[in-house]
Structure formats: structure tokens, C-alpha cells
Amino acid sequence: MELHQLTIHELQKKLRGGDTTSVDVVESVIRRIDAVEDRIHSYITLMKDSAREEARRADEEIRKGNARPLTGIPIAVKDLICTKGIRTTCGSKILSNFIPPYDATVVEKLRDAGAVFIGKTNMDEFAMGSSTETSHFGVTRNPWDLDRIPGGSSGGSATAVAADECIASLGSDTGGSIRQPAALCDVVGMKPTYGRVSRYGLVAFASSLDQIGPFTKDVEDCAILLNVISGYDPRESTSVQVEVPDFTSFLSEGIEGWTVGIPKEYFIEGIDPEVEAAVRKAIGVIEGLGARCVDVSLPHTEYCLAVYYIIAPAEASSNLARYDGVKYGYRSKDCRDLMEMYKRTRSEGFGMEVKRRIMLGTYALSSGYYDAYYKKASQVRALIKRDFDEAFQSCDVIMTPTSPTPAFRIGEKMDDPLQMYLSDIFTISTNLAGIPGVSVPCGYTAGGLPIGLQFLAAHFAEEKLIRIASAYEKHSKIEKRRPNL
Amino acid sequence: MEYEAVIGLEVHAQLLTDSKIFCGCSTRFGAAPNANACPICLGMPGVLPVLNRKVVEFMMKMALATNCSINGQNVFARKNYFYPDLPKGYQISQYAQPPAEHGHIDIEINGDKKRIGITRIHMEEDAGKLVHDEVNPSSYVDVNRCGVPLIEIVSEPDLRSAEEAATYLRRLHEILVYLEICDGNMQEGSFRCDANVSIRPKGTEPFGTRAELKNMNSFRNVQRALEYEIKRQQYILEGGGQVIQETRLWDDSQGVTLSMRGKEEAHDYRYFPDPDLVPIEISDGWIEDVRKTLPELPLEKRERFIRDHGIPTYDAGVLTSNRALADYYEEAVRLCGKPKIVSNWVMGDLLRFLNEEKRDIRECILKPSDLAEMINLIENRTISGKIAKEVFEDMYRTGKAPRRIIDEKGLVQITDEEALKKTIGEIITANPAQLEQYRAGKEKVFGFFVGQVMKVTKGKANPALVNELLKKMLAG
Ligand SMILES: [Zn+2]
């Protein structure tokens, strides 16, 4: 095994035991990036020089006995998480020259934990997409099949982990943007509870749905990274003051005696038979671990997509109003007046999908339509949340496929936004309800494409997700493959 | 046909908090452009607002002072529109579920009390400012004012004339300044007023089509603009025309209102609850804590001064127009127990000197305790009222205590009868002609002798004593 293939916890041991150095780990990762990046395109911005410098300092700290959870470990960050002094583009032309003068809270936390920043990962423009095809900086390819999409919007964060171009990464999840690419790239991806991880410094797509979360090679790493990034932040009003347990302490707890809910609404027509078969097989594994699997009902599931595509664009239309060419970012040249500057800057600076959603959202909030769209959607959202609250009265976790299909071909759904939106059908409700969810690898199709399994839990019950995901990971007996690059 | 106006006012008051509503930047006026700015003020991507609780408290003070009911839960909303002085592309304001509603204040019009309803009070952030360079055509944005906290106070359409509107506005202004939550400076824009005005035939119920008036930056301009607008609408209706719904700007130099934008061009602000902020919970306990900090309000103070101090309504009005002035007056009264005399000095010499120098009572170095002391010195005849004028001016200029001035200048009143008799005797001897005239019945000459005595004693002679002795001695 090469250093770049290892996990956080494996590297922690090697680094602390003096078996390797952070400089060696970073060089190994950089060599891997040099070898595969032009085929995959995980990154928008690489930070090789500063990573090498951070690695040297990390090695000093380790020598002094000051190793922290992530000391010396190369981490990648989605390019909508602000990094002080490092360009943060959101995959958009309109922010192609934006250099934040501040770090996001999660970046500060990673820094405090000793992480080495290796780069900023590619994404759908402003996180609007399920395939990482809408980035101004080009598409990201799935390491398992370079003709296919990696999922999205955090596609680059998923592929960087899947192709060993980093050890772990952060993404953001507004409707599945961590879990769906994790499923399609065969890695672990978690969306924590809304309010668990500070959104300060996360460029907003839909503020009431966005949440930062980890991409890792296994569940143990997921727990380690979750420990680092969780916690109340006085700079973020929706961040919640709840205790953060040591998530790694739940890894071996098991799920004996648990009740696991299987929502019948999630096994719909249109679900890929191989995906369904893999998930059905997983039910057997879970039962083998001493849990009881029961049917649960989430009756408002059919409205999730509609509700999401009103609330998310509505918030986005307002969140993206600030990109007007006045203060920072792209500004169209030689405009005669203010109105022309606004129009041309935004027409030239935003891509098609972003414009589509700004128009959708603007319409949904317009006077005369607000009650029928935004207000109604907010009411239905409350019902969706109630569905989950009620379901969790009778079960510990809910288990579903992460994505209805494995990775599709690049370009396949670009002209059909509705088909594209359906790829998040199993992940969107989580964000609407604000609950946590995790996707773990659950096998491969006959064609060798990864399949993901999703676990959902009640608000702030991430430890249950860690328990079941870890137990499943250990006992599913899925032979671990590596993409052939 | 006789028409009556229907007017409602929207007042924006900048709150005197040290820091802005959603970030830690200073609210200080007059700083260099963009000196009071941070990524939150600049609407940079990813940064988030955190509510300054002081703003909620200030809003609650105004709500309680205007008899509003306070809603236990209220939310911030985004008001979306594009303008370069609005960095986020939306203003954080409040729309549905305002924090305070259903209030009122009482105003006095020609001696009659009238109750004006307050529809709502809500909190919001101010926008920045644009600076235009005409010579080298370009515009600059100054975000210092972005995020300065405002409350908007919306009245019911209860006002029926420009005069009523101006009176209401003055009362509102007075309350805000009394509460020390707004400096009330209209020129610097910390107290701004928009008006909705329509007219209808007197005695009818339905409202006419209204115009919204903006850009009136003084009480006088509000009254003038409303008077003009009422006449304008009347002229239209009398000519058989129709008033159109629009926003009009007051042009101070021409003394007219001009159309700014019509109803069709009105913004659709697309209000929706701001997902970056959680609902504000206001407990009954918090309301009571704030209520305890409320000062006596101008109207109550006015009535108390009239009732307990027995000073005229006019005096009470002047003295309570400014909380610091009322405090000054009251402190002096507490120390000397002479309300009307204190009032005369404060309203007379003190306000005259302050006005001459355009100074505020808070900058006055003459202490109320010294004014009280001086009044006591007049009462116990240490100095005469005339000398007191001189002492007062000296106190005002130097801040010295009255005793010290009197001692330094030797101004103690001469009440020594023997000494005065001697002086008067000498004066009578020196003016035999005038003495003869007086004794011949020319009473006016008495004044000449008083003048002579005052001249010789440099005004220090006790006037009553001088009168008494002169009368006796001139009679022979
Ligand atoms: Zn600021």
C-alpha cells in the first residue's frame, strides 16, 4: 500500500509511530495527483507548495509530541468553503477571482486539528447540480468509469478521496450533494444534522438546507473528521448548542436490538434493479447484526422534490443577489450604466443551471405567487419533518438506497433537468427535515459501478449513524476494490 | 367641496447602539469612507449575520413608550432589491410577525388632545451610501452605514393635516431622544420620515388614492411638503382629474413634490423569512426588565411640572422639550425650591446664551447646583436681582461658583443702614438743586437720587433699603 491510499487513522498511527512523515505523505499524494488529476479533474485549485510547507511544520509538531487528530494529513476542501488568501470560486465564473479575507469556521477547525490543505475541489456551480458537470472549470470524471459523472454537487471532493488524491475531504450537502457522489464514487459521505457544523464561511446555496460534511475512505475516518468539524459557533445563528460526543467511541458499539426502518416509499419505480438488489441484500446483513428491520412510512415523500425545488431556488435567488459586479468577483467590462453592468455581469458570470434556479426562485417568491409556492412549500416541509419525527418514534435509524441509479454517463441528463433532479430523490428529504444522513459503500453493479447505502437518524443522532455504518462496513463482507486508473 | 387629508407617516430612526445590528463594526457617524466595514458589512460570500441584542432592547423601549404590544416571537425577513449601496442584494428587515404592534401616542392640536395610532414598529439594517464623482464620471460605495440599526415606526392613517403630521413627528422625535435610543439628527439622517398622503371629501369614509412622499429632511419640510401635496391633489380632483398612486420626492429648492416612480415601477421586494437568523424570542421577563429602564416620558413630565411645580404650561413645554434641560431645571428646583424663578432663569438667560452659541445644555459648565445657590443668594438679599444678572453671566462663562464671583468682584449687597445713610446724606448735600425740585413736588427726581446711590455703590446697595432711606431723608 502506498501512503496516499491509507486512511486518516492508519496515517495517525504511522506518523505518531515515526514510520513515516507528513512530508512523505504529502509527496505521495502530490505524485498521485500528478498521475491521475488530468483524467479526473477533482481540483479547481491545488495548494502543493503551501501543503509541503504545512507538512514540514506538521512533522516538527509530531517530533515535539504535539500531534493533534489531523496533524500532517492532507485534506481537500470543496471550493465553496472559504479559505483565507486562497481563491474560492464556487465553481463559478462570477467568483473566479474571489479571494476571501477570512477562513470558514470548519477551515479554522481543520487547521487547529493540524490538517494539511492540499486543494480546493471542483463542484457544480454554486452547488447546483448532481453531476459536477455545471462547473465553470470543467467536468469532473468518475474514477470508476471516466465516461461517467461522479455525482454532485461535491463531485471533486468525492473523486479526490476515491482516487486517493487526498486522504479525506469536506463537501457540502443541500439536497444530497455529499451522499450521492459518495455513493457513486464508493466512499463514505455524511451530511450532519442542520446546526451541527457551522455554516460560517460556507458560501450559501440554500441557507436552510446547506450543511458541511466529510468524505472519507471509511467510517472510522468519518467519525474522526466529524469530531473535528462539529460544534456550536457564535458566528452562526442557526448553529445549535448541543454536546459533541467523541464519535469514534461508537465505532464498535454494534446495533444489537435495534429497529431499522425501511420506508416503502423509497422503493419506487425507476430504481435501478441492481441498486435495489444491493440494498435488499444489505437488509440481510443488518438483520444478521441483531437488528430488526421493519417497514416504516414517510407519507409525504412524493412531495419532497417539489418542495425542495421551490425552497432551495427561492433562498438561492436571494443568496446569489450579492454577485452583482460591484464589490468583488467578476464584473462585465465597458458597461454604460448600472443596469447594464448588473445585467451583463450576471448574464456572463452565471451558468445555465444557476440562472434557471434564480429564475425559479424569484418566481416562487414573487408577490401573488408567494402563498401558492414558497409558503405552501414551507408548510409541506413541516409535514415532511413530522413524517421523520414520527418514524423515529418506532425505529433507531432508517435505511434507504442513496441514489436510485449508479453513476450515469457524462452529458446524459444535462438537457433534461427533471431527470437530473430525480437523482437526488432519496437524499433531498433529509435536508428538508434537517436530520443527519450517511452514505456507505454497498457493493458494485455487474458493470463495476459502486452502489451506496444510506442511513438516516433523528436530529443530532449522528452517533447512531456511526454505529450502524461501522457495523455494516465490518460485516457486509464486500470485497474492497480500487478504481483502475 | 371641502376636502380632508389622510396622512400616515413612516419614520426610520437610527439607533444609538455602539455596534451594528448584525456585526461588531462601529456605528460612529463621520468615519472615513469604508472605515467601519467588515466582510459582513460588505456582503461577502459565506459570512453570516448575528443579531445584536441591544437593538432588540432599544426597539422594545420605543414599543413600550408608544403603548405597543410586543410579540413574544418575531422573525427577520429579507427585503430583496438590487442597488449598489445594498451589498447583499437584500435588506434584513421584518415583515410578517413584526415585534411591536397596536400602539398609540397622544398629541395636542390647538389645546385638544388627539390619539394617533402606531400600526407597527420593526427592526432593520440601514443601507450604505453612494458618492458620485460628476467630474470624472464614476460612483463610489461607502458601506459605513450598512448594518447600522434602524427601527421603522409606522403610524395609522390618523393624521388629518400637515400640522398634525408635524406635531406627531415632533412628539415621536422627542420620545426617541428622551429614551436615548436615537440622536434625532435629521440632517445626518438619523431620523427620517416618509409620508403617505391622500385626500377625500370631508365627511366621507373611503380613502383616496395616495402618494408616498420622500426626501423631507426637516420638520419644516415635512409640513411644507404635505401642505403642497394636499393642495396638489385637491387641485387635481377639483379639475376633474384623478390622483395616481406613485412615489414623489420633495424638492426643497422649488418647494414642490415631483414624481419619482409610478405604481408599475414599484419594487416587488419578494419578502421571505431570513434563513440565516433564528426567530427572536422575547419573554415577559425581558419586557419587564426593559420597562424598568424606561425614563419618565415628555408628556408625563410636562404634566407633572405643571401639577407639582405650578409652572405655566408654556414653561413646562419648553423645559421638557429636551430631557437634559428638564433634568437641569429639576435639579436646580430640588436644591432651591423655587420652580418659577428657576424656570425664568433657565428659559431666559440660560437658553439665550446657549442658543447664541448653538450649544447643548449638556455642554453647559454652569452647574444647576450653582444656579440654585445664586437664587438663594438673591432670596437672602446677599445680592440684588440686578447684580445676579452679572453673576449669572460670569457663572455661565467661567463655571465658577456664585459665592466666589461675588467675593472676587466685591458684589455683596450693601444692607448696612448706617453706611447707606452716610452715602445718601453726601449725595443729597451734593445735589441741592435736585433736592429743591423734589421737595417742590417733582417726584420724578426720586429716580435720579436712586441712580446716584447705585452709581456710587456700584449697584450693590439693597434697592428696597435705598428706597426706604431716600424717601425718609429727602423728606427731611
Ligand atoms: Zn461589519
Side-chain angles (χ1 to χ4, degrees), chain B residues 20 22-26 36-42 146:
Chain B
K20 294 185 178 181
F22 297 121
C23 69
C25 291
S26 165
N36 299 341
C38 72
I40 294 170
C41 297
L42 284 160
C146 288

Side-chain angles (χ1 to χ4, degrees), chain A residues 14-198:
Chain A
K14 280 187 181 293
L15 287 166
R16 286 169 198 187
D19 300 335
T20 188
T21 63
S22 176
V23 168
D24 286 345
V25 175
V26 167
E27 289 305 333
S28 174
V29 167
I30 289 174
R31 274 196 304 278
R32 177 66 175 174
I33 290 170
D34 290 342
V36 303
E37 174 65 3
D38 60 345
R39 278 173 285 164
I40 297 172
H41 189 36
S42 298
Y43 290 99
I44 291 175
T45 302
L46 276 163
M47 299 157 68
K48 293 180 188 174
D49 292 340
S50 60
R52 286 178 168 122
E53 177 53 36
E54 285 167 15
R56 271 191 291 276
R57 267 182 282 151
D59 284 331
E60 268 171 50
E61 290 299 310
I62 293 166
R63 262 196 301 279
K64 286 190 223 155
N66 297 335
R68 284 158 289 162
L70 301 176
T71 299
I73 294 171
I75 306 280
V77 173
K78 187 176 181 180
D79 207 22
L80 49 38
I81 295 172
C82 287
T83 39
K84 188 174 179 175
I86 305 292
R87 177 172 84 140
T88 299
T89 69
C90 291
S92 181
K93 181 179 178 182
I94 212 155
L95 282 177
S96 50
N97 60 2
F98 177 65
I99 298 175
Y102 44 87
D103 272 333
T105 297
V106 291
V107 171
E108 283 178 359
K109 283 175 177 282
L110 288 177
R111 223 183 271 291
D112 290 345
V116 170
F117 292 91
I118 186 73
K120 303 292 297 284
T121 59
N122 197 17
M123 55 184 283
D124 281 299
E125 185 181 6
F126 282 102
M128 296 176 188
S130 310
S131 64
T132 318
E133 291 170 284
T134 69
S135 171
H136 172 65
F137 300 90
V139 300
T140 294
R141 292 167 186 276
N142 193 315
W144 295 89
D145 179 345
L146 295 174
D147 292 331
R148 291 177 189 268
I149 57 95
S153 66
S154 313
S157 291
T159 58
V161 174
D164 300 318
E165 293 182 277
C166 65
I167 306 304
S169 67
L170 293 187
S172 69
D173 190 315
T174 305
S177 285
I178 290 174
R179 291 159 290 154
Q180 183 254 19
L184 271 42
C185 294
D186 209 34
V187 297
V188 175
M190 180 188 277
K191 179 203 101 74
T193 309
Y194 185 77
R196 173 70 92 183
V197 178
S198 172

Side-chain angles (χ1 to χ4, degrees), chain B residues 176-474:
Chain B
L176 284 163
V177 174
Y178 250 74
L179 294 170
E180 292 174 341
I181 59 174
C182 173
D183 69 15
N185 190 324
M186 289 181 93
Q187 258 64 51
E188 288 173 7
S190 38
F191 181 88
R192 315 195 274 267
C193 173
D194 299 334
N196 284 304
V197 54
S198 63
I199 60 169
R200 64 184 174 195
K202 200 159 187 170
T204 62
E205 277 294 311
F207 292 161
T209 306
R210 69 189 154 85
E212 189 186 0
L213 302 189
K214 287 181 176 291
N215 199 37
M216 307 165 287
N217 60 355
S218 69
F219 291 115
R220 189 168 153 268
N221 279 345
V222 170
Q223 186 157 351
R224 283 174 69 205
L226 283 168
E227 277 163 0
Y228 174 87
E229 181 61 19
I230 292 164
K231 280 207 194 91
R232 188 188 72 87
Q233 294 187 10
Q234 201 167 329
Y235 181 76
I236 292 172
L237 293 187
E238 281 166 354
Q242 279 191 325
V243 175
I244 55 166
Q245 191 178 330
E246 61 183 346
T247 302
R248 300 180 68 84
L249 287 185
W250 168 247
D251 184 320
D252 189 23
S253 58
Q254 295 185 64
V256 297
T257 63
L258 300 169
S259 181
M260 177 178 137
R261 60 168 177 255
K263 191 183 173 184
E264 304 72 32
E265 301 144 71
H267 293 295
D268 177 356
Y269 290 120
R270 290 174 283 120
Y271 282 100
F272 75 105
D274 190 333
D276 286 332
L277 290 158
V278 289
I280 309 151
E281 311 274 351
I282 301 176
S283 67
D284 290 348
W286 195 11
I287 296 173
E288 285 320 303
D289 287 347
V290 171
R291 197 191 297 279
K292 280 182 208 137
T293 68
L294 286 190
E296 185 182 30
L297 294 170
L299 194 65
E300 299 162 22
K301 207 185 267 294
R302 200 162 297 155
E303 284 168 357
R304 182 169 60 82
F305 283 1
I306 296 167
R307 188 180 64 237
D308 296 355
H309 293 185
I311 59 171
T313 307
Y314 176 76
D315 289 28
V318 174
L319 293 170
T320 57
S321 64
N322 173 326
R323 185 170 158 192
L325 189 69
D327 290 347
Y328 189 100
Y329 155 82
E330 218 177 355
E331 175 67 4
V333 170
R334 189 179 67 81
L335 293 167
C336 74
K338 304 274 185 309
K340 181 58 187 159
I341 296 173
V342 173
S343 167
N344 288 348
W345 281 101
V346 171
M347 289 176 44
D349 297 54
L350 184 60
L351 282 184
R352 183 163 50 81
F353 288 144
L354 288 170
N355 289 342
E356 273 167 16
E357 297 185 306
K358 293 197 165 38
R359 287 170 79 181
D360 188 270
I361 183 71
R362 279 167 295 197
E363 301 166 79
C364 182
I365 54 172
L366 192 170
K367 293 192 285 291
S369 55
D370 286 339
L371 173 59
E373 168 82 17
M374 191 198 78
I375 289 169
N376 284 335
L377 291 171
I378 302 169
E379 290 299 311
N380 70 18
R381 298 175 162 206
T382 307
I383 53 172
S384 66
K386 191 156 175 259
I387 288 290
K389 290 263 180 199
E390 186 188 336
V391 173
F392 184 89
E393 179 158 5
D394 203 341
M395 284 160 67
Y396 177 82
R397 308 268 172 233
T398 63
K400 286 181 190 168
R403 264 289 174 200
R404 198 174 142 198
I405 294 167
I406 292 164
D407 290 347
E408 280 175 7
K409 293 191 170 174
L411 296 175
V412 176
Q413 188 163 253
I414 300 168
T415 46
D416 178 342
E417 206 174 315
E418 287 315 308
L420 265 184
K421 265 186 188 162
K422 191 167 164 265
T423 307
I424 292 170
E426 282 163 17
I427 289 168
I428 292 173
T429 314
N431 296 286
Q434 282 82 357
L435 179 67
E436 211 161 300
Q437 285 174 4
Y438 180 78
R439 288 191 176 157
K442 241 185 160 184
E443 301 257 323
K444 268 191 187 162
V445 183
F446 187 78
F448 163 78
F449 282 103
V450 173
Q452 288 299 306
V453 175
M454 286 303 174
K455 194 176 161 193
V456 171
T457 61
K458 298 193 177 77
K460 289 183 290 181
N462 180 322
L465 192 58
V466 171
N467 275 353
E468 187 193 320
L469 292 175
L470 256 182
K471 264 189 192 137
K472 231 187 265 169
M473 290 169 75
L474 286 172

Side-chain angles (χ1 to χ4, degrees), chain A residues 200-211:
Chain A
Y200 184 87
L202 168 72
V203 181
F205 158 17
S207 313
S208 74
L209 302 161
D210 296 339
Q211 189 65 195

Side-chain angles (χ1 to χ4, degrees), chain A residues 390-413:
Chain A
E390 281 170 8
F392 288 122
Q393 297 288 314
S394 60
C395 64
D396 295 282
V397 295
I398 286 171
M399 185 169 138
T400 80
T402 308
S403 170
T405 66
F408 45 90
R409 286 182 191 285
I410 290 171
E412 191 180 324
K413 297 185 181 177

Side-chain angles (χ1 to χ4, degrees), chain A residues 273-287:
Chain A
E274 284 185 289
V275 170
E276 181 164 358
V279 175
R280 298 263 180 226
K281 200 173 150 203
I283 294 173
V285 175
I286 294 299
E287 284 176 331

